[in-house]
Amino acid sequence: MKISLDGKWKFREVGSLEYLDGTVPGCVQLDLINLGKLPDPFYGVNEVLFYSLEEKDFEYVKEFYVENLDYQVKRLVFEGIDTVSDIYLNEFYLGRTDNMFLRYEFDVSTILQEGKNTLKVILYSPIKEAERLKKIYQSKYEYPQRSWIRKSQYSYGWDWGPRILQIGIWKSVYLELNNGLEITDEFVKTEHLSEDLAVVKVFAKINSFEKPRSVEIEISDGKDAKKVIPEVYKSKEGYFIEERIEIENPKLWFPNGYGEPNLYTFKILAKTSNEEATKIVTTGLRTVRIIKEKDEHGESFIFEINGIKVFAKGANWIPADSILPRLTEDDYKQLIRMAKDSNMNMLRVWGGGIYEYDWFYRECDKNGIMVWQDFMFACAIYPDEFDFFVENFKKEAEYQIKRLRNHPCIVLWCGNNENNWGFVDWWHLGDPEFLGNRIYKKVLPQILSELDPTRPYHISSPYGGEHPNSSTAGDKHTWDIWAGWKDYIYYKNDNARFVSEFGFQAAAHLDTMKKYIPLKDQTIFSKTLRMHEKQEEGLERLIRYMAGSIGLPKDFDSFVYLSQFVQKEAIKTAVEHYRKNKFRTAGALYWQLNDCWPVISWSSIDYLKRRKALYYESKRLFAKFLPVVEYEDGKLKVYVVSDDLKTKQGKLSITIWNFDGQKLYEKDLAVEIPKNSVIEVFSEKVENLNILKGEWLYIPKHVETAVIGDKIDRGLLESIVFVSLFVDEVEYENYFVFEKPINLELKPCQFEYEIKDDYIIIKPKTPAICLIIEADRDVEDNFIFAKPEKEYKINLNGGQVRKVCDLLDLIER
């Protein structure tokens, strides 16, 4: 049985005489907020009020009662403590914790009392603890403070997150009482897979004082079930089962868009003379490998699931709050559902956060979201020259691998984020023996070969080729655009094999910004706004890219909307290029899906789960079919990207308009779209499109603002191209302009709209590159490019529309 010790605790700063009411799971920061002792750290500049907690120690105390001690095994379990602590039960010292990512168990058989018990946890400052370790373990290397502690690295502050060094018991605490019978280390391993037959090996350790009388495995796909009686064998470590089971006509697990993410349950039931134990494993049957083959471009990096090449479409995932115990299962359900609804099939769990809550992986399993799983190292050197650090991590790795290996969603283990790139380009260390490399190149491959040989392991992200951030092999982080100030048109020069990070910033949803930024500070360069933009020169970049793409904003609201428009246009440029490059490029994971607080960042979903313009654009960019329009060698071309596993027949409609609302060109054609590939379906010289005027304009090409420049026909600047692809009665749309909006001869859109039931119906008379619906909640679609002759009927999701505006209304012109 389990006795939960969650709920009300008492806590105090060490040295204080006063105990305060606290909660577990929780942390000091959250308890002080709930007590009104500290304000919301996300509002205004309140973050700075939390810095002083970093160097303090705290004590948490729980009194509880136990009525029945008639059990042979009595264990105290902490699912997660953040981070360094000493633990006492009834004044007896149980032990020390020093790893946020570990589950801690203590044998309390001789200490637990019938009746009243007192549990005490003393939590130590991670700052002081790092300095203590630094003094003990002298090194010639200057490791950052955060590297000494196995704690979420983002909590020390990142270029999208606040510095809030959470201290507390962040996961559940309970007593585990039994008579010696337990099922542990369960692993359902797919050994063979075909359409007709799956062979899986079910492994488990059965802890028991006597040989179990019976063990059975029940396998169910939700409809049909069967039972298997495995053989129980004994070794010096205890009792085990290791049963191979055949499943005929298996229902396979597929990524979103490629099939159903079918799941099976394997229920293991063990009985002894006086006890029984059950363990349920929910998993999916699938194979995964990365195709690494030499070709004319270098070496491929293609995920293959169940023998099918999959183009990875998605984003990077960071922790969804800077105060982790606030997160709930519903938060994960909502965010993962939003990822699926935007046609993503992969999320990368970034190495500076946490091994996510079980909720995350369960939702990814259910929704067909593949997970690229980093181990928790990011952007630093780590002291693995010392055995204490390596041994601590080995326990972490073993625990997390065993915890996560049954999830079919996880398709890759990855050693770290950007550290091997950093060895070469940032710290100029070459390829060191230690500083993390001992773990990435020796320890992890060995542990994974023993505990989970079913998935590929990747040393780092990025990693591959002659340079860690190579374009010819492995995965790449493309940051010369945005971080390196280069214009986003340069995404079209990036032919990396798999782009696991690239991104562009924008403000959070307008309502989110206004909720957390006081009215007096809602100006573009206020100190408060700069507190909510953590990247060095981040605001300056936003203004630079606005000026180079669309123009300058009229006011704070315009700043928010323009930043989101430029973000979506930049990522549109990138993803269209990467998908058109399929499978030379085999994945596009933009940085980042979500936020941990209200901030100007690279996310497409803000902290309050409100959709930014990029989220709406992602639905179009990651759809099963994507029509892409390009201007190449004096020709207008249309390509169709297909992720469908069957050849399809479609209909393509191309129309070209000027901004006065005159249709200049129209063509409909039938297209055959090959499966899982890209095809050019239209190509025509612009001279034949009825758009050229023979009047020339000169666009200065300095500051990289022009796409074509210098000399350009006025007609190209007055035209907008719309394409609609119809496949299986579904419409896939896109738009194209020949230059950046700032260089176009744009005119405000003439449109009408009406509200009918829970819908807004927009009727444009002239084209628009972006119409914005401002409402009190997220609507079905927004930031839409609007084509004349079409009505846009958009579900309001119960929201009230405040206004509809053309992007041009927001620009200082």
Side-chain angles (χ1 to χ4, degrees), residues 605-623:
I605 303 169
D606 77 14
Y607 173 66
L608 296 180
K609 303 180 190 67
R610 288 169 169 155
R611 297 157 172 81
K612 293 160 70 168
L614 176 56
Y615 180 81
Y616 295 105
E617 191 65 36
S618 297
K619 285 187 175 185
R620 292 185 276 268
L621 292 172
F622 292 145

Side-chain angles (χ1 to χ4, degrees), residues 29-45:
Q29 288 83 351
L30 185 55
D31 285 333
L32 292 173
I33 293 167
N34 290 339
L35 290 168
K37 301 283 186 182
L38 281 172
D40 183 345
F42 296 169
Y43 183 79
V45 296

Side-chain angles (χ1 to χ4, degrees), residues 6 23 46 57 126 247 362 438 451 457 474 587 617 670:
D6 291 351
T23 303
N46 289 345
D57 304 328
I247 300 173
R362 285 203 295 264
R438 176 183 176 189
L451 298 181
Y457 170 67
E617 191 65 36

Side-chain angles (χ1 to χ4, degrees), residues 169-431:
I169 305 169
W170 73 295
K171 287 189 173 182
S172 288
V173 187
Y174 51 88
L175 287 169
E176 204 171 63
L177 310 174
N178 62 62
N179 288 316
L181 180 61
E182 292 177 292
I183 302 169
T184 65
D185 296 354
E186 61 282 355
F187 187 21
V188 177
K189 178 182 173 185
T190 303
E191 296 197 327
H192 168 80
L193 200 59
S194 68
E195 289 185 5
D196 303 322
L197 183 69
V199 179
V200 297
K201 182 168 75 175
V202 179
F203 171 87
K205 182 181 180 185
I206 301 175
N207 297 323
S208 178
F209 295 128
E210 61 181 76
K211 184 173 182 178
R213 284 186 172 183
S214 67
V215 177
E216 69 177 37
I217 304 168
E218 182 180 278
I219 306 104
S220 172
D221 62 6
K223 292 182 179 178
D224 301 315
K226 75 172 185 176
K227 290 184 179 179
V228 173
I229 307 300
E231 181 181 344
V232 179
Y233 67 92
K234 186 177 183 181
S235 74
K236 60 182 180 180
E237 284 94 19
Y239 297 99
F240 296 87
I241 60 169
E242 196 166 358
E243 186 74 10
R244 280 182 172 78
I245 299 172
E246 293 188 353
I247 300 173
E248 294 181 352
N249 302 315
K251 298 176 180 177
L252 306 189
W253 186 92
F254 285 99
N256 183 30
Y258 288 84
E260 291 300 315
N262 296 296
L263 296 173
Y264 283 79
T265 57
F266 291 76
K267 181 180 178 181
I268 306 169
L269 175 64
K271 295 180 181 179
T272 61
S273 58
N274 65 345
E275 201 169 14
E276 67 176 51
T278 302
K279 185 62 68 78
I280 295 176
V281 178
T282 301
T283 190
L285 307 181
R286 59 108 186 91
T287 59
V288 55
R289 75 178 182 116
I290 296 177
I291 301 172
K292 296 182 180 181
E293 295 176 349
K294 299 291 184 184
D295 57 27
E296 68 270 29
H297 307 297
E299 184 179 81
S300 65
F301 193 90
I302 304 169
F303 280 89
E304 184 188 78
I305 309 295
N306 302 330
I308 298 166
K309 288 182 178 180
V310 173
F311 188 98
K313 303 177 292 191
N316 286 257
W317 172 278
I318 64 168
D321 205 312
S322 283
I323 301 176
L324 290 165
R326 289 201 285 210
L327 291 168
T328 67
E329 183 175 5
D330 283 344
D331 291 319
Y332 284 92
K333 284 184 174 179
Q334 190 173 344
L335 284 165
I336 301 305
R337 185 73 207 184
M338 289 173 78
K340 179 182 181 179
D341 287 348
S342 64
N343 297 310
M344 293 184 179
N345 61 30
M346 181 179 279
L347 294 173
R348 172 176 171 248
V349 177
W350 169 75
I354 60 172
Y355 305 95
E356 274 297 343
Y357 287 93
D358 292 339
W359 299 318
F360 173 85
Y361 302 100
R362 285 203 295 264
E363 291 307 309
C364 288
D365 286 345
K366 292 176 188 174
N367 288 285
I369 303 296
M370 297 181 288
V371 173
W372 172 311
Q373 178 67 53
D374 282 4
F375 287 90
M376 293 301 119
F377 300 96
C379 303
I381 54 174
Y382 290 87
D384 65 353
E385 60 184 301
F386 303 113
D387 288 343
F388 91 93
F389 188 87
V390 174
E391 292 307 311
N392 192 349
F393 174 72
K394 281 181 178 178
K395 288 185 283 187
E396 170 189 322
E398 179 176 338
Y399 168 65
Q400 294 293 348
I401 292 165
K402 286 182 177 180
R403 178 174 84 94
L404 300 176
R405 64 187 176 181
N406 288 305
H407 288 284
C409 64
I410 298 177
V411 295
L412 180 75
W413 298 109
C414 180
N416 68 79
N417 174 76
E418 296 189 346
N419 295 345
N420 290 71
W421 180 15
F423 290 153
V424 175
D425 281 359
W426 308 342
W427 309 305
H428 308 293
L429 296 164
D431 191 21

Side-chain angles (χ1 to χ4, degrees), residues 6-11 21-27 31 34 60 169:
D6 291 351
K8 293 182 178 179
W9 287 52
K10 295 288 186 181
F11 81 103
D21 290 332
T23 303
V24 170
C27 63
D31 285 333
N34 290 339
Y60 275 73
I169 305 169

Side-chain angles (χ1 to χ4, degrees), residues 433-452:
E433 181 180 359
F434 297 109
L435 309 183
N437 244 357
R438 176 183 176 189
I439 284 173
Y440 317 141
K441 292 190 171 181
K442 294 179 181 177
V443 172
L444 271 171
Q446 181 179 350
I447 293 175
L448 284 164
S449 69
E450 296 170 4
L451 298 181
D452 183 20

